[in-house]
Amino acid sequence: MSHESYELKAEARERVGKGSARELRRNGLIPAVIYGDKQAPISIALNTNEVTKRIHAGGFLTTIATIDVGGKKIKVLPKDYQLDPVRDFTVHVDFLRVSGNTEVTVEIPVHFVNHEKSPGLKAGGVLNIVRHEVEVHCPADAIPEFFTVDLSGLKSGDSIHISNVTLPKKVTPVISDRDFTIATIVAPAAGLAEEEEGGEETTA
């Protein structure tokens, strides 16, 4: 499962627009919107420090949160956030309302384990990661934190495809019509000529 859920307190925003947003930021708040689930969007303001802390903690876009808007608690999934291009602080956040049957599309990071048990890597080969994340459809309340790829036994020229990854129930890749590549083991430079026929696949 993904990171532990958390709660943020928010206040409803009556005024919207650039002038209102600038005023909020001067007061240590971030403008945001909650949308989806066939309901009208709600404009809100959140504490800048709280949101920034959650973003830096990791897993922000794959963790369900609860937003308390004047006592009304709404379950959401952060869908996007914008950063100031110059000063790199958060300027806006979009939240999607979720319920028990909500399906979402998210990017799940891929973790590689047992590097020391790969003959190809031990011989000086390189792990060429084609996809650091895999985009999937899944239930909003069952978002995986990451996918694990075991490198044990892999030799130079071997490829890891999505079919080699054990996906949880009801989690399906967005690209479902082909067995795309996640990573390959590339032979050491000195052995490239010999390994060429092994086919180092470097594209998805």
Side-chain angles (χ1 to χ4, degrees), residues 108-113 115 132 145-151:
I108 305 301
V110 180
H111 290 186
F112 297 89
V113 298
H115 293 67
H132 291 269
E145 186 173 354
F146 54 82
F147 296 138
T148 300
V149 171
D150 189 347
L151 301 175

Side-chain angles (χ1 to χ4, degrees), residues 33-43 72-76 95-99 101-102:
V33 64
I34 300 173
Y35 66 94
D37 204 25
K38 299 178 182 177
Q39 298 181 47
I42 301 174
S43 295
K72 182 181 180 182
K73 299 194 176 186
I74 305 170
K75 284 184 72 174
V76 299
F95 294 98
L96 174 70
R97 284 188 189 89
V98 298
S99 56
N101 57 1
T102 302

Side-chain angles (χ1 to χ4, degrees), residues 41 63 90 119 127 133 153 162 174 204:
T63 303
T90 311
L127 176 63
E133 298 178 322
I162 187 62
V174 170

Side-chain angles (χ1 to χ4, degrees), residues 1 15 18 23 30 38 40 101 126 130 156-157 165:
M1 287 294 293
R15 294 170 52 222
K18 290 185 178 179
E23 184 180 343
I30 294 174
K38 299 178 182 177
N101 57 1
V126 176
V130 179
S156 293
V165 180

Side-chain angles (χ1 to χ4, degrees), residues 21-93:
R22 280 196 295 266
E23 184 180 343
L24 285 174
R25 294 183 194 113
R26 281 197 299 267
N27 294 324
L29 299 172
I30 294 174
V33 64
I34 300 173
Y35 66 94
D37 204 25
K38 299 178 182 177
Q39 298 181 47
I42 301 174
S43 295
I44 60 172
L46 296 160
N47 180 280
T48 299
N49 291 338
E50 279 293 313
V51 174
T52 302
K53 182 172 71 174
R54 293 297 174 183
I55 291 173
H56 288 166
F60 184 65
L61 298 178
T62 56
T63 303
I64 296 293
T66 300
I67 296 184
D68 184 337
V69 186
K72 182 181 180 182
K73 299 194 176 186
I74 305 170
K75 284 184 72 174
V76 299
L77 178 69
K79 288 301 290 180
D80 193 19
Y81 60 90
Q82 289 83 48
L83 298 176
D84 182 276
V86 177
R87 289 176 286 173
D88 198 36
F89 61 85
T90 311
V91 296
H92 191 272
V93 186

